[in-house]
Amino acid sequence: MDKIDLYEHRVSYYETDQMGIVHHSNYIRWFEDARVDFLEKAGFSYKKMEETGVMIVVLGASCQYKVPARYEDRVVVIPKISEFNGLKLKVTYRVLNKADGTLLATGETSHCFTDLNLKPVRTKKDYPEIYKIFYDYIDVDLDKL
Amino acid sequence: MDKIDLYEHRVSYYETDQMGIVHHSNYIRWFEDARVDFLEKAGFSYKKMEETGVMIVVLGASCQYKVPARYEDRVVVIPKISEFNGLKLKVTYRVLNKADGTLLATGETSHCFTDLNLKPVRTKKDYPEIYKIFYDYIDVDLDKL
Amino acid sequence: MDKIDLYEHRVSYYETDQMGIVHHSNYIRWFEDARVDFLEKAGFSYKKMEETGVMIVVLGASCQYKVPARYEDRVVVIPKISEFNGLKLKVTYRVLNKADGTLLATGETSHCFTDLNLKPVRTKKDYPEIYKIFYDYIDVDLDKL
Amino acid sequence: MDKIDLYEHRVSYYETDQMGIVHHSNYIRWFEDARVDFLEKAGFSYKKMEETGVMIVVLGASCQYKVPARYEDRVVVIPKISEFNGLKLKVTYRVLNKADGTLLATGETSHCFTDLNLKPVRTKKDYPEIYKIFYDYIDVDLDKL
């Protein structure tokens, strides 16, 4: 299991709102960015996955906001495979301020694997290479590798 | 308690992604749109609230995706005050396809009331007019009025 | 040539940025919303167009910002077919504050018609029904009908 | 005049639309990201600028789309100060595919400098440190330093 460089993001101006903080919807987008960044670094990018005929559909998403991120903040988003059985997937996230390590938010997304027509697929049997990536990283804290 | 016209939205092209469906982050935005639409129709717009010195900060948000919304779909987003004590607020949401009533998604957001410096405020004591709006609509199904 | 109800939009909170005004990128999105709203009202929705096998690709977009739109403003976006020859299309836009008619922004987008593989198509010959819509509204001020 | 590392961006999934390409509105956002990235690397971040009491308001923006960017593409966005007189500013942009150098888009934004109440300010007299940054980089091709 290889070390994965953590996903970093600098807050864009257009991600702020008139409260002067990052609009809460963007964290859901950062989760996705961190998720696919992990996949790419683990050796099977999401783009390649779709080209292989597999999509990872979002069934649910949630975020708890602790401390607002602000313009130009560097944030680190750390995904963790919390559940995976080849068909369904849960990922939890921590969003940290890179400068001081403050926990800004936590979250979770749940997914199923489908073909390009949104029919569920079992990765263990049909896409073992994809299965392996998620299986290998179950419960792994990427920041502790 | 007045009847509130339900919030409707037509899916924009820029809300779709390359899966050909609405990107999941947009539902979190629709929840906000429906929430503030409700406030305005209930007689105290969120803009006026901020001008009064009160902000409704988002503490948490979640969405469960049932059936994907697609480009040009008309969706109806129905918020419901599920918890409110003057200081904290929970709102649940149903997103329906307007054409056939299909339930596309459900969700929840949790909030606290703050002043413009993000300090909590107790609306019951300090902003009774704001308190009343939420109190009046606790557990009210807007589509059953 | 039928009267077309003008496209209206209420500014969403997530469209604002920390300047307290609408982020400038959103006007480009409103142009698109107004453009496809026009198509739908003219009788051939963009969704139907894509289903027919025709896409309207964006070649260029520009916006001049006069007065900032703000949260909860109602804006009216008025598109006008300024050039059209069946293959290429130019549309200009005016964004008005609905409340007082103030001109907030003007803009232009240029397009070509393509098939689903992004190959140019000549609508006059191959899609006369689509051709007619644009042809009929060349230089028409929708707010003067 | 220091060498400035070029701004890079990886295309996010949520930036695509159902055409399977990046939605055109995002390029306008990338221009901003590249602009403020330049400022930060040149030694006076836009955040610091706003804290100093200066805002750079957008008066106009345009983009010409040559070749669509796609999901997971790495793009390089190169801003260039094309006009600057202390009060007004024009910046042009080139968006390149990092992998092969293909020119994906070009664009331009025009700006004026204001205080926090949107009143114009003359940087030459009032904010010489800000003036110097822009002045030093007039007509400089960041990729040729």
Side-chain angles (χ1 to χ4, degrees):
Chain A
M1 194 171 48
D2 299 324
K3 180 160 173 48
I4 301 278
D5 286 332
L6 299 178
Y7 174 72
E8 291 186 20
H9 172 72
R10 186 179 56 177
V11 172
S12 289
Y13 203 83
Y14 66 81
E15 294 179 315
T16 63
D17 64 26
Q18 71 180 38
M19 275 193 199
I21 60 179
V22 169
H23 190 269
H24 60 284
S25 60
N26 291 298
Y27 294 72
I28 304 291
R29 297 183 164 190
W30 298 349
F31 293 167
E32 180 178 72
D33 282 333
R35 198 163 65 235
V36 300
D37 182 73
F38 157 75
L39 288 178
E40 186 176 38
K41 289 172 180 165
F44 206 119
S45 80
Y46 184 67
K47 185 179 187 181
K48 190 175 156 193
M49 224 170 269
E50 285 201 353
E51 288 166 358
T52 309
V54 175
M55 298 202 301
I56 306 181
V57 172
V58 181
L59 299 179
S62 66
C63 187
Q64 289 75 45
Y65 306 91
K66 316 289 185 188
V67 176
R70 291 174 185 274
Y71 174 52
E72 284 201 357
D73 281 353
R74 258 72 175 179
V75 297
V76 176
V77 185
I78 308 172
K80 179 178 174 174
I81 313 299
S82 58
E83 290 182 38
F84 175 68
N85 65 5
L87 178 63
K88 293 211 172 184
L89 167 71
K90 280 196 181 175
V91 186
T92 62
Y93 306 85
R94 282 173 298 144
V95 182
L96 307 176
N97 186 314
K98 193 190 174 190
D100 58 13
T102 306
L103 181 66
L104 304 177
T106 60
E108 187 180 79
T109 56
S110 55
H111 307 268
C112 72
F113 294 82
T114 74
D115 64 20
L116 300 183
N117 297 314
L118 297 173
K119 302 284 174 197
V121 296
R122 296 184 177 277
T123 56
K124 188 170 186 177
K125 178 162 157 283
D126 296 335
Y127 301 95
E129 198 183 353
I130 291 174
Y131 180 84
K132 190 175 180 328
I133 288 174
F134 292 98
Y135 186 81
D136 280 356
Y137 283 92
I138 291 175
D139 266 336
V140 171
D141 288 306
L142 297 184
D143 55 338
K144 305 252 173 69
L145 284 180
Chain B
M1 194 171 49
D2 298 325
K3 181 158 170 50
I4 302 276
D5 286 332
L6 299 178
Y7 174 72
E8 292 187 19
H9 172 72
R10 184 179 56 175
V11 172
S12 289
Y13 203 83
Y14 66 80
E15 294 180 315
T16 63
D17 64 27
Q18 70 180 36
M19 274 192 201
I21 59 179
V22 170
H23 191 269
H24 60 284
S25 60
N26 292 298
Y27 293 72
I28 304 292
R29 297 182 165 191
W30 297 349
F31 292 168
E32 180 178 72
D33 282 333
R35 197 162 66 234
V36 300
D37 182 73
F38 157 74
L39 288 178
E40 187 176 37
K41 289 170 180 167
F44 206 118
S45 81
Y46 184 68
K47 185 179 186 181
K48 189 175 159 194
M49 225 170 267
E50 284 201 352
E51 288 166 359
T52 309
V54 175
M55 299 202 299
I56 305 181
V57 172
V58 180
L59 299 179
S62 66
C63 186
Q64 288 74 46
Y65 306 92
K66 316 288 187 191
V67 177
R70 292 176 185 274
Y71 175 53
E72 284 200 359
D73 282 353
R74 259 72 174 177
V75 296
V76 176
V77 185
I78 309 172
K80 178 180 175 174
I81 313 298
S82 58
E83 291 180 39
F84 176 67
N85 66 5
L87 177 64
K88 293 211 173 184
L89 168 70
K90 280 196 181 175
V91 186
T92 62
Y93 307 85
R94 282 173 298 142
V95 181
L96 306 176
N97 187 315
K98 192 189 175 191
D100 59 13
T102 306
L103 180 66
L104 304 178
T106 59
E108 186 181 77
T109 54
S110 55
H111 306 268
C112 72
F113 294 83
T114 74
D115 64 20
L116 299 183
N117 297 313
L118 297 173
K119 303 283 174 199
V121 297
R122 295 184 177 280
T123 56
K124 189 170 188 176
K125 179 162 156 283
D126 297 334
Y127 300 95
E129 197 183 352
I130 291 174
Y131 180 84
K132 191 177 179 326
I133 288 173
F134 292 98
Y135 185 81
D136 280 355
Y137 283 92
I138 290 174
D139 266 335
V140 171
D141 287 307
L142 298 184
D143 54 338
K144 306 251 174 68
L145 285 179
Chain C
M1 194 170 48
D2 298 325
K3 180 161 171 50
I4 302 278
D5 287 332
L6 299 179
Y7 174 72
E8 292 186 18
H9 172 71
R10 184 179 56 176
V11 172
S12 289
Y13 203 83
Y14 65 80
E15 294 179 315
T16 63
D17 64 27
Q18 70 180 39
M19 273 193 200
I21 58 178
V22 170
H23 191 269
H24 60 284
S25 60
N26 291 298
Y27 294 72
I28 304 291
R29 298 182 165 191
W30 297 349
F31 292 167
E32 180 179 71
D33 282 334
R35 198 163 65 233
V36 300
D37 182 73
F38 157 74
L39 288 179
E40 186 176 38
K41 289 171 180 167
F44 206 118
S45 81
Y46 184 67
K47 185 179 186 181
K48 189 175 158 193
M49 225 170 268
E50 284 201 352
E51 287 165 359
T52 308
V54 175
M55 299 201 301
I56 306 181
V57 171
V58 181
L59 299 180
S62 66
C63 187
Q64 288 74 47
Y65 306 92
K66 315 288 187 191
V67 177
R70 293 176 184 274
Y71 175 53
E72 284 201 359
D73 281 354
R74 259 72 175 177
V75 296
V76 176
V77 185
I78 308 172
K80 178 178 174 174
I81 313 297
S82 58
E83 291 182 38
F84 175 68
N85 64 6
L87 178 64
K88 293 211 172 184
L89 168 70
K90 280 195 182 177
V91 187
T92 62
Y93 306 85
R94 281 173 298 142
V95 181
L96 306 176
N97 186 315
K98 192 189 175 191
D100 58 14
T102 306
L103 180 66
L104 304 178
T106 59
E108 185 180 80
T109 55
S110 55
H111 307 268
C112 72
F113 295 83
T114 74
D115 64 20
L116 300 183
N117 298 313
L118 298 172
K119 303 283 172 197
V121 297
R122 296 183 177 278
T123 56
K124 188 170 188 177
K125 180 163 155 281
D126 297 334
Y127 301 95
E129 197 182 352
I130 292 173
Y131 180 86
K132 191 176 180 325
I133 288 174
F134 292 98
Y135 185 82
D136 280 356
Y137 283 93
I138 291 175
D139 267 336
V140 171
D141 288 306
L142 298 185
D143 54 338
K144 305 251 174 69
L145 284 180
Chain D
M1 195 170 50
D2 299 325
K3 180 161 172 50
I4 301 277
D5 286 332
L6 300 177
Y7 174 72
E8 292 186 20
H9 172 72
R10 185 178 56 177
V11 172
S12 289
Y13 203 83
Y14 66 80
E15 293 179 315
T16 63
D17 65 25
Q18 71 180 36
M19 274 193 200
I21 60 179
V22 169
H23 191 270
H24 60 284
S25 60
N26 292 298
Y27 294 72
I28 305 291
R29 298 183 164 189
W30 298 349
F31 293 167
E32 179 178 72
D33 282 332
R35 198 162 66 233
V36 300
D37 182 73
F38 157 75
L39 287 178
E40 186 176 38
K41 288 172 180 165
F44 206 118
S45 81
Y46 184 67
K47 185 179 187 183
K48 189 174 158 193
M49 225 169 268
E50 284 201 352
E51 287 165 359
T52 308
V54 175
M55 299 202 300
I56 305 180
V57 171
V58 181
L59 299 180
S62 66
C63 187
Q64 288 75 45
Y65 306 91
K66 315 289 185 189
V67 177
R70 292 174 185 275
Y71 174 53
E72 284 201 357
D73 281 353
R74 258 74 175 177
V75 297
V76 176
V77 185
I78 308 173
K80 179 179 173 174
I81 312 298
S82 58
E83 291 181 40
F84 175 68
N85 65 4
L87 178 65
K88 293 211 172 184
L89 167 70
K90 280 196 181 174
V91 187
T92 62
Y93 307 84
R94 283 173 297 143
V95 181
L96 307 176
N97 186 314
K98 192 190 174 190
D100 58 13
T102 307
L103 181 65
L104 304 178
T106 59
E108 185 180 79
T109 55
S110 55
H111 307 267
C112 71
F113 294 83
T114 74
D115 64 20
L116 300 183
N117 297 314
L118 297 173
K119 303 283 173 199
V121 297
R122 295 183 177 278
T123 56
K124 188 170 187 176
K125 178 162 157 283
D126 296 334
Y127 301 94
E129 197 184 352
I130 292 173
Y131 179 84
K132 191 177 180 325
I133 287 173
F134 292 98
Y135 186 82
D136 280 355
Y137 283 93
I138 291 175
D139 266 337
V140 171
D141 288 306
L142 298 185
D143 55 338
K144 304 252 174 70
L145 285 179

